[in-house]
Amino acid sequence: EVQLVQSGAEGKKPGESLKISCKASGYSFSTYWIAWVRQMPGKGLEWMGIIYPDDSDTRYSPSFQGHVTISADKSNTTAYLQWSNLKTSDTAIYYCARLEATRDAFDIWGQGTMVTVSS
Amino acid sequence: QSVLTQPPSVSAAPGQKVTISCSGSSSNIGTNYVSWYQQLPGTAPKLLIYENNQRPSGIPDRFSGSKSGTSATLDITGLQTGDEADYYCAVWDTTLTASVGTGTTVTVL
């Protein structure tokens, strides 16, 4: 079964760092782009960026460039999203999603990771 | 701020039809495929439509998509209570970036 399984909920304080994960299985991880999508409480979806695990080619939305880092580990078939200086405004659910390039669509989604940043 | 605009909400009675619009521009919808996603309450988004009007396996034909110029539309016919959800349009373009719509809440009256 093709699936993306994300790490569990996190509670952090402002200024702390965090790395959440997205474990892929059931397909060739290296050859599909993986995106990260933010959903703030009660709000819509926002595309943050995307990575191609085979060569780690990474693209960011201008809204998130410089504030988060997207990475991938081919040996572990896992993609990551990390922050070095969390803000309360980072409180949100974060989804990873696989891009099916032949369909120009995100066909597989992780279950989401809730990140809460509060002092 | 999203560049794809959707109505905040639409509603209809069970068995009726709703139409959700997605308005963009020549640089996104005008030159790329549109996909649609359903997000049921408390769950992750799910792909409903790709390449403007194609349904993945398992998606009922009550859901249909179309595109004309710089706008796209998702139709849901035979509305069911289980269709109550948020719906998003999106575009993946050749510059390796994505645009996501503002989202529409469907309510079954």
Side-chain angles (χ1 to χ4, degrees), chain B residues 51-72:
Chain B
E51 290 182 353
N52 304 331
N53 56 18
Q54 302 299 303
R55 286 184 305 276
S57 61
I59 301 300
D61 59 6
R62 300 187 299 104
F63 296 91
S64 62
S66 62
K67 184 183 106 168
S68 178
T70 59
S71 294

Side-chain angles (χ1 to χ4, degrees), chain A residues 33 39 43-47 50 57 59 63 95 99 102-107 109-111, chain B residues 1 33 35 37 39 43-47 50-51 56 88 92 95-98 100-102:
Chain A
W33 292 85
Q39 187 167 40
K43 302 297 184 183
L45 305 175
E46 300 172 270
W47 183 78
I50 197 164
D57 185 2
R59 311 299 172 99
S63 299
Y95 295 101
L99 175 69
T102 62
R103 296 182 171 183
D104 283 353
F106 297 95
D107 65 338
W109 291 70
Q111 82 278 19
Chain B
Q1 185 174 355
Y33 286 120
S35 53
Y37 303 84
Q39 187 177 32
T43 70
K46 172 185 174 182
L47 178 64
Y50 65 94
E51 290 182 353
Y88 297 89
W92 170 253
T95 63
L96 302 181
T97 59
V100 183
T102 51

